[in-house]
Amino acid sequence: MATRRRVLGDAHVDRAEAKKTSFDAPFQEMITEAAWGHVWSREGLSLRDRSLITLALLAAQGSDAEVAMHVRATANTGATPEEVMEAMLHVAIYAGVPRANHAIGIARRTYADMGVEV
């Protein structure tokens, strides 16, 4: 939970926890333990590097809401807009221009909402 809060921020995690129901609690527990407790908390890659990898994978999958969430998380991970664009260029080559173009639009809008000029 500490890593999840460090990356996504307390406000995001608090909102997610407040919306948690008995139905989706097992899923929330699983992603907190597996994604945040095991993968994101490992040594070997910085949070910045994990952030960029995650953004590229989410963009390649077309996971729009998660792209926006992880663009917002760059404020905590240290990944710059320029580095995010570099990751999107990789997405364009390896996963397709339409996916990258769509994710770039999401990132641009998310950065604007954050008050970050790109």
Side-chain angles (χ1 to χ4, degrees):
M1 187 60 80
T3 301
R4 185 178 179 193
R5 287 182 176 282
R6 185 170 169 205
V7 172
L8 299 177
D10 287 331
H12 174 86
V13 175
D14 289 346
R15 282 191 305 275
E17 287 293 304
K19 289 190 280 185
K20 183 169 62 176
T21 67
S22 61
F23 176 74
D24 63 359
F27 176 76
Q28 291 296 322
E29 291 168 13
M30 187 266 304
I31 62 171
T32 298
E33 291 174 10
W36 302 107
H38 294 290
V39 176
W40 276 84
S41 296
R42 291 177 55 83
E43 293 185 16
L45 290 174
S46 67
L47 291 180
R48 179 192 142 281
D49 292 344
R50 290 184 194 283
S51 183
L52 292 168
I53 291 167
T54 301
L55 278 164
L57 290 167
L58 293 171
Q61 293 177 32
S63 300
D64 298 358
E66 288 81 7
V67 168
M69 177 178 72
H70 279 277
V71 167
R72 285 188 297 275
T74 63
N76 300 323
T77 66
T80 67
E82 294 79 17
E83 291 168 329
V84 170
M85 178 53 74
E86 291 296 324
M88 293 304 113
L89 294 175
H90 276 268
V91 170
I93 295 302
Y94 292 102
V97 170
R99 289 287 171 109
N101 186 45
H102 186 68
I104 289 166
I106 293 168
R108 194 174 49 240
R109 289 187 298 277
T110 303
Y111 280 128
D113 291 346
M114 295 168 64
V116 175
E117 189 171 324
V118 293

